[in-house]
Amino acid sequence: LHVEVKGVSGELPEFIITSNEIKQSKSDHAFHLRVVTSATSDSPEIHCFTGKQLKSLFELQPITFRAKRKGK
């Protein structure tokens, strides 16, 4: 079992995930994601997802890019 844990202060499981974590979720059948919502409150909730569920239940939006000089 390989577990990635994300914590958010809000009530919705919306979080930042890296491109490497996405790759891992697709290639590793033992990958599981745990998202703790209301993480800073007195009543946090843990949401559990497999890699397959991550792909089917979430819309992934790119928010950063790596800029690299051409020809280097």
XYZ file of all heavy atoms in Angstrom:
569
model
N 0.850 -1.191 0.000
C 0.000 0.000 0.000
C 0.883 1.237 0.000
O 1.793 1.350 0.835
C -0.904 -0.023 1.239
C -1.944 1.085 1.355
C -2.961 0.999 0.243
C -2.637 0.987 2.703
N 0.651 2.135 -0.931
C 1.371 3.408 -1.001
C 0.345 4.520 -0.843
O -0.571 4.636 -1.650
C 2.098 3.545 -2.341
C 3.049 2.431 -2.585
N 3.011 1.652 -3.708
C 4.053 1.935 -1.825
C 3.955 0.737 -3.643
N 4.597 0.893 -2.502
N 0.503 5.326 0.188
C -0.506 6.327 0.539
C 0.059 7.735 0.400
O 1.128 8.045 0.921
C -1.014 6.115 1.984
C -2.048 7.162 2.345
C -1.582 4.715 2.151
N -0.684 8.587 -0.281
C -0.402 10.021 -0.355
C -1.481 10.710 0.469
O -2.670 10.418 0.314
C -0.451 10.502 -1.812
C -0.224 11.974 -1.984
C 1.188 12.403 -1.578
O 2.131 11.615 -1.767
O 1.325 13.529 -1.076
N -1.074 11.629 1.348
C -2.026 12.323 2.221
C -2.013 13.806 1.904
O -0.948 14.421 1.807
C -1.682 12.102 3.713
C -2.660 12.855 4.604
C -1.676 10.624 4.046
N -3.214 14.368 1.739
C -3.379 15.803 1.520
C -4.288 16.345 2.618
O -5.270 15.697 2.987
C -4.042 16.077 0.154
C -3.290 15.512 -1.031
C -1.997 16.235 -1.239
C -1.266 15.715 -2.467
N -0.001 16.394 -2.660
N -3.988 17.512 3.121
C -4.834 18.142 4.119
C -5.288 19.503 3.642
O -4.499 20.265 3.083
N -6.578 19.784 3.821
C -7.133 21.079 3.435
C -7.984 21.620 4.578
O -8.582 20.862 5.339
C -7.970 20.994 2.138
C -7.099 20.592 0.952
C -9.124 20.022 2.262
N -8.035 22.941 4.701
C -8.801 23.531 5.798
C -10.291 23.598 5.483
O -11.109 23.637 6.393
C -8.274 24.937 6.117
O -8.357 25.765 4.970
N -10.646 23.565 4.197
C -12.051 23.642 3.804
C -12.773 22.307 3.914
O -12.180 21.279 4.249
N -14.068 22.340 3.596
C -14.911 21.150 3.704
C -14.903 20.281 2.450
O -15.345 19.136 2.496
C -16.346 21.554 4.033
C -16.479 22.202 5.403
C -17.905 22.618 5.722
O -18.809 22.326 4.916
O -18.095 23.247 6.772
N -14.417 20.815 1.328
C -14.395 20.063 0.073
C -13.016 19.467 -0.174
O -12.001 20.115 0.105
C -14.767 20.972 -1.100
C -16.167 21.581 -1.063
C -16.350 22.538 -2.236
C -17.218 20.485 -1.093
N -12.948 18.260 -0.716
C -11.652 17.652 -1.015
C -11.049 18.217 -2.303
O -10.991 17.557 -3.333
C -11.977 16.160 -1.122
C -13.394 16.113 -1.551
C -14.050 17.329 -0.939
N -10.636 19.492 -2.257
C -9.962 20.153 -3.367
C -8.549 20.440 -2.904
O -8.344 21.051 -1.850
C -10.682 21.442 -3.750
C -12.085 21.184 -4.282
C -12.827 22.465 -4.644
O -12.296 23.569 -4.383
O -13.927 22.351 -5.181
N -7.540 20.024 -3.685
C -6.164 20.025 -3.203
C -5.199 20.151 -4.365
O -5.562 19.962 -5.521
C -5.888 18.715 -2.445
C -6.302 17.494 -3.213
C -5.425 16.862 -4.058
C -7.610 17.013 -3.123
C -5.827 15.756 -4.801
C -8.015 15.909 -3.850
C -7.120 15.275 -4.689
N -3.971 20.472 -4.043
C -2.884 20.529 -5.017
C -2.236 19.142 -5.071
O -1.984 18.526 -4.035
C -1.825 21.573 -4.601
C -2.456 22.960 -4.437
C -0.664 21.585 -5.588
C -3.064 23.528 -5.694
N -1.998 18.667 -6.291
C -1.329 17.380 -6.473
C -0.281 17.551 -7.569
O -0.540 18.223 -8.578
C -2.349 16.253 -6.795
C -1.679 14.886 -6.762
C -3.102 16.515 -8.082
C -2.654 13.720 -6.707
N 0.890 16.995 -7.366
C 1.984 17.189 -8.315
C 1.857 16.253 -9.517
O 1.152 15.239 -9.464
C 3.354 16.945 -7.645
O 3.471 15.552 -7.339
C 3.522 17.790 -6.395
N 2.590 16.585 -10.574
C 2.574 15.728 -11.762
C 3.156 14.352 -11.435
O 2.686 13.340 -11.959
C 3.343 16.381 -12.914
O 4.681 16.616 -12.551
N 4.149 14.294 -10.555
C 4.706 12.988 -10.167
C 3.686 12.154 -9.400
O 3.632 10.933 -9.565
C 5.976 13.165 -9.333
C 7.166 13.531 -10.183
O 7.179 13.314 -11.380
N 8.174 14.113 -9.557
N 2.888 12.784 -8.562
C 1.846 12.053 -7.835
C 0.776 11.531 -8.792
O 0.272 10.418 -8.617
C 1.235 12.947 -6.755
C 2.207 13.246 -5.632
C 1.794 14.401 -4.748
O 0.911 15.205 -5.134
O 2.366 14.518 -3.659
N 0.449 12.301 -9.820
C -0.510 11.851 -10.834
C 0.058 10.645 -11.574
O -0.630 9.641 -11.774
C -0.850 12.983 -11.824
C -1.600 14.110 -11.121
C -1.660 12.450 -13.005
C -2.944 13.726 -10.565
N 1.331 10.732 -11.978
C 1.971 9.606 -12.664
C 1.950 8.360 -11.784
O 1.657 7.265 -12.249
C 3.416 9.955 -13.018
C 3.559 10.945 -14.145
C 5.028 11.265 -14.383
C 5.175 12.458 -15.294
N 6.585 12.881 -15.414
N 2.259 8.541 -10.501
C 2.268 7.416 -9.562
C 0.873 6.814 -9.443
O 0.713 5.590 -9.410
C 2.764 7.887 -8.188
C 3.014 6.790 -7.204
C 4.268 5.985 -7.513
O 5.113 6.402 -8.288
N 4.380 4.839 -6.911
N -0.147 7.660 -9.387
C -1.527 7.160 -9.237
C -1.957 6.323 -10.433
O -2.783 5.423 -10.306
C -2.503 8.321 -9.033
O -2.747 9.019 -10.237
N -1.399 6.614 -11.607
C -1.749 5.877 -12.822
C -0.974 4.569 -12.972
O -1.493 3.599 -13.507
C -1.498 6.759 -14.054
C -2.445 7.941 -14.155
C -2.095 8.803 -15.346
C -3.037 9.984 -15.466
N -2.680 10.857 -16.611
N 0.270 4.549 -12.497
C 1.123 3.388 -12.736
C 1.218 2.421 -11.556
O 1.592 1.276 -11.737
C 2.532 3.856 -13.108
O 3.130 4.537 -12.017
N 0.871 2.878 -10.365
C 1.035 2.071 -9.154
C -0.335 1.611 -8.653
O -1.109 2.409 -8.142
C 1.748 2.905 -8.092
C 2.031 2.150 -6.813
O 1.605 0.984 -6.691
O 2.682 2.737 -5.936
N -0.630 0.335 -8.789
C -1.933 -0.189 -8.371
C -2.109 -0.165 -6.858
O -3.221 -0.304 -6.361
C -2.141 -1.602 -8.918
C -2.198 -1.643 -10.411
N -3.201 -1.053 -11.140
C -1.347 -2.177 -11.316
C -2.987 -1.223 -12.420
N -1.859 -1.909 -12.569
N -1.019 0.013 -6.126
C -1.091 0.096 -4.660
C -1.266 1.531 -4.175
O -1.338 1.781 -2.976
C 0.163 -0.504 -4.044
N -1.363 2.503 -5.103
C -1.499 3.919 -4.748
C -2.874 4.191 -4.141
O -3.900 3.772 -4.679
C -1.324 4.788 -5.997
C -1.494 6.268 -5.744
C -0.406 7.049 -5.417
C -2.746 6.863 -5.827
C -0.550 8.408 -5.192
C -2.905 8.219 -5.602
C -1.801 8.990 -5.283
N -2.888 4.890 -3.027
C -4.129 5.355 -2.404
C -3.935 6.794 -1.963
O -2.854 7.179 -1.511
C -4.497 4.500 -1.188
C -5.099 3.196 -1.552
N -4.345 2.138 -2.013
C -6.377 2.770 -1.556
C -5.144 1.119 -2.282
N -6.376 1.476 -2.011
N -4.992 7.576 -2.087
C -4.983 8.976 -1.690
C -5.915 9.159 -0.505
O -7.036 8.644 -0.509
C -5.454 9.840 -2.862
C -5.647 11.327 -2.601
C -4.313 12.002 -2.317
C -6.331 11.979 -3.791
N -5.422 9.861 0.502
C -6.243 10.244 1.643
C -6.285 11.759 1.676
O -5.232 12.409 1.660
C -5.653 9.738 2.969
C -5.445 8.235 3.031
C -6.777 7.494 3.012
N -6.600 6.069 3.229
C -6.627 5.153 2.277
N -6.779 5.508 1.017
N -6.499 3.877 2.570
N -7.485 12.316 1.696
C -7.647 13.764 1.784
C -8.360 14.073 3.090
O -9.472 13.593 3.328
C -8.456 14.326 0.585
C -8.573 15.838 0.692
C -7.818 13.924 -0.730
N -7.707 14.852 3.926
C -8.288 15.258 5.202
C -8.893 16.636 5.006
O -8.177 17.612 4.757
C -7.225 15.292 6.321
C -7.872 15.676 7.648
C -6.511 13.956 6.429
N -10.224 16.715 5.060
C -10.902 18.001 4.957
C -11.164 18.542 6.359
O -11.170 17.788 7.334
C -12.227 17.882 4.184
O -13.058 16.891 4.800
C -11.992 17.498 2.726
N -11.356 19.845 6.436
C -11.528 20.529 7.735
C -10.373 20.147 8.658
O -10.556 19.941 9.863
C -12.872 20.170 8.361
O -13.943 20.511 7.513
N -9.184 20.076 8.082
C -8.011 19.555 8.794
C -7.642 20.375 10.018
O -7.083 19.839 10.966
C -6.823 19.471 7.845
N -7.957 21.655 10.003
C -7.592 22.510 11.137
C -8.725 22.672 12.144
O -8.599 23.434 13.099
C -7.146 23.896 10.641
O -8.210 24.480 9.881
C -5.903 23.793 9.773
N -9.802 21.957 11.942
C -10.959 22.080 12.835
C -10.940 20.983 13.904
O -10.072 20.120 13.910
C -12.257 21.980 12.032
O -12.509 20.637 11.667
N -11.928 21.016 14.754
C -12.077 19.986 15.790
C -12.698 18.705 15.248
O -12.759 17.701 15.964
C -12.939 20.506 16.945
C -12.246 21.605 17.734
O -10.994 21.614 17.760
O -12.945 22.450 18.312
N -13.186 18.742 13.988
C -13.833 17.549 13.422
C -13.375 17.308 11.980
O -14.169 17.422 11.052
C -15.354 17.690 13.491
O -15.759 18.899 12.869
N -12.116 16.966 11.789
C -11.632 16.672 10.431
C -12.263 15.384 9.892
O -12.690 14.527 10.665
C -10.129 16.499 10.624
C -9.965 16.120 12.043
C -11.084 16.772 12.795
N -12.346 15.293 8.567
C -12.871 14.094 7.914
C -11.817 13.549 6.964
O -11.152 14.311 6.274
C -14.130 14.414 7.118
C -15.376 14.558 7.951
C -16.617 14.633 7.061
O -16.793 13.737 6.213
O -17.377 15.587 7.216
N -11.698 12.235 6.907
C -10.756 11.597 5.998
C -11.525 10.978 4.837
O -12.454 10.201 5.049
C -9.932 10.512 6.711
C -9.139 11.131 7.870
C -9.002 9.806 5.730
C -8.428 10.115 8.730
N -11.130 11.343 3.616
C -11.730 10.811 2.396
C -10.685 9.923 1.725
O -9.532 10.321 1.587
C -12.143 11.944 1.453
C -13.028 12.961 2.103
N -14.389 12.903 2.022
C -12.726 14.041 2.870
C -14.908 13.927 2.692
N -13.911 14.616 3.215
N -11.077 8.736 1.293
C -10.153 7.748 0.734
C -10.460 7.505 -0.741
O -11.621 7.309 -1.111
C -10.266 6.438 1.500
S -9.993 6.614 3.274
N -9.411 7.509 -1.564
C -9.554 7.296 -3.000
C -8.427 6.408 -3.513
O -7.291 6.514 -3.055
C -9.503 8.630 -3.758
C -10.488 9.650 -3.272
C -10.097 10.646 -2.392
C -11.812 9.601 -3.665
C -10.995 11.600 -1.938
C -12.727 10.539 -3.210
C -12.316 11.544 -2.343
N -8.740 5.580 -4.486
C -7.711 4.823 -5.203
C -7.207 5.685 -6.357
O -7.785 6.736 -6.662
C -8.285 3.518 -5.778
O -9.283 3.852 -6.754
C -8.883 2.635 -4.695
N -6.147 5.239 -7.009
C -5.670 5.950 -8.184
C -6.721 6.019 -9.277
O -6.886 7.040 -9.944
N -7.448 4.938 -9.455
C -8.514 4.893 -10.462
C -9.619 5.895 -10.125
O -10.143 6.581 -10.998
C -9.085 3.479 -10.547
C -10.071 3.277 -11.686
C -10.590 1.855 -11.728
C -9.601 1.005 -12.496
N -10.125 -0.333 -12.807
N -9.980 5.996 -8.860
C -11.001 6.955 -8.436
C -10.517 8.390 -8.606
O -11.303 9.276 -8.941
C -11.396 6.707 -6.983
C -12.203 5.445 -6.796
C -12.430 5.125 -5.335
O -11.529 5.242 -4.507
N -13.647 4.702 -5.023
N -9.233 8.630 -8.368
C -8.684 9.970 -8.572
C -8.934 10.414 -10.006
O -9.371 11.535 -10.254
C -7.190 9.981 -8.251
C -6.446 11.286 -8.516
C -6.985 12.415 -7.651
C -4.957 11.101 -8.282
N -8.688 9.522 -10.940
C -8.881 9.839 -12.370
C -10.356 10.051 -12.708
O -10.706 10.957 -13.455
C -8.297 8.720 -13.223
C -8.410 8.973 -14.707
C -7.811 7.851 -15.516
C -7.982 8.115 -16.997
N -7.470 7.033 -17.809
N -11.230 9.217 -12.146
C -12.643 9.287 -12.536
C -13.457 10.329 -11.769
O -14.433 10.849 -12.303
C -13.299 7.911 -12.383
O -13.364 7.534 -11.023
N -13.076 10.653 -10.557
C -13.890 11.545 -9.719
C -13.431 12.997 -9.688
O -14.190 13.874 -9.274
C -13.929 11.020 -8.275
C -14.584 9.666 -8.065
C -14.438 9.232 -6.609
C -16.049 9.709 -8.466
N -12.184 13.257 -10.127
C -11.643 14.603 -10.025
C -11.295 15.170 -11.389
O -10.808 14.459 -12.262
C -10.383 14.611 -9.140
C -10.674 14.354 -7.688
C -10.686 13.065 -7.191
C -10.957 15.397 -6.831
C -10.965 12.816 -5.855
C -11.233 15.163 -5.495
C -11.237 13.870 -5.007
N -11.531 16.456 -11.535
C -11.091 17.195 -12.716
C -9.719 17.757 -12.388
O -9.562 18.502 -11.411
C -12.062 18.335 -13.017
C -11.669 19.188 -14.181
C -12.638 20.335 -14.387
O -13.792 20.247 -13.961
O -12.195 21.340 -14.978
N -8.716 17.375 -13.162
C -7.357 17.830 -12.913
C -7.064 19.028 -13.799
O -7.186 18.950 -15.020
C -6.360 16.705 -13.182
C -6.564 15.449 -12.344
C -5.593 14.356 -12.777
C -6.400 15.749 -10.866
N -6.669 20.151 -13.176
C -6.374 21.376 -13.905
C -4.917 21.763 -13.688
O -4.494 21.915 -12.540
C -7.266 22.520 -13.408
C -8.738 22.264 -13.573
C -9.587 23.346 -12.925
O -9.146 24.042 -12.025
N -10.809 23.469 -13.391
N -4.142 21.922 -14.781
C -2.749 22.359 -14.609
C -2.717 23.791 -14.090
O -3.441 24.653 -14.585
C -2.156 22.264 -16.016
C -3.317 22.274 -16.943
C -4.494 21.733 -16.180
N -1.899 24.024 -13.057
C -1.837 25.376 -12.504
C -0.429 25.954 -12.510
O -0.244 27.131 -12.254
C -2.421 25.441 -11.075
C -1.653 24.527 -10.132
C -3.891 25.102 -11.077
C -2.012 24.713 -8.676
N 0.571 25.137 -12.801
C 1.939 25.646 -12.898
C 2.637 25.010 -14.091
O 2.256 23.939 -14.557
C 2.769 25.333 -11.630
O 2.836 23.926 -11.460
C 2.178 25.981 -10.399
N 3.654 25.684 -14.576
C 4.458 25.186 -15.685
C 5.924 25.378 -15.348
O 6.286 26.310 -14.635
C 4.134 25.940 -16.985
C 2.739 25.703 -17.476
C 1.685 26.490 -17.042
C 2.466 24.678 -18.362
C 0.397 26.271 -17.481
C 1.186 24.443 -18.811
C 0.142 25.243 -18.368
N 6.767 24.519 -15.892
C 8.209 24.685 -15.749
C 8.718 25.386 -17.006
O 8.466 24.932 -18.122
C 8.902 23.329 -15.607
C 10.419 23.448 -15.463
C 11.095 22.101 -15.460
N 10.429 21.186 -14.551
C 10.890 20.872 -13.338
N 12.001 21.384 -12.903
N 10.230 20.032 -12.575
N 9.436 26.476 -16.821
C 10.027 27.201 -17.943
C 11.511 26.850 -18.008
O 12.233 27.017 -17.017
C 9.848 28.700 -17.758
N 11.929 26.348 -19.167
C 13.314 25.919 -19.348
C 13.830 26.545 -20.654
O 13.136 26.505 -21.661
C 13.379 24.390 -19.409
C 14.766 23.841 -19.495
C 14.718 22.310 -19.474
C 16.106 21.749 -19.631
N 16.094 20.289 -19.684
N 15.029 27.081 -20.592
C 15.607 27.697 -21.785
C 15.702 26.682 -22.910
O 16.108 25.534 -22.694
C 17.015 28.232 -21.494
C 17.081 29.369 -20.509
C 17.125 30.764 -21.100
N 17.943 30.948 -22.256
C 19.088 31.610 -22.275
N 19.586 32.116 -21.174
N 19.739 31.785 -23.388
N 15.332 27.091 -24.087
C 15.415 26.216 -25.258
C 16.868 25.956 -25.617
O 17.717 26.835 -25.493
C 14.696 26.860 -26.442
C 13.202 26.974 -26.231
C 12.537 27.597 -27.423
C 11.047 27.704 -27.214
N 10.351 28.288 -28.365
N 17.145 24.723 -26.053
C 18.476 24.376 -26.510
C 19.492 24.171 -25.394
O 20.679 24.042 -25.643
N 19.076 24.179 -24.166
C 20.014 24.008 -23.028
C 19.852 22.656 -22.406
O 18.857 22.093 -22.289
C 19.774 25.086 -21.960
C 20.000 26.475 -22.467
C 21.442 26.841 -22.327
C 21.652 28.241 -22.843
N 22.978 28.648 -22.849
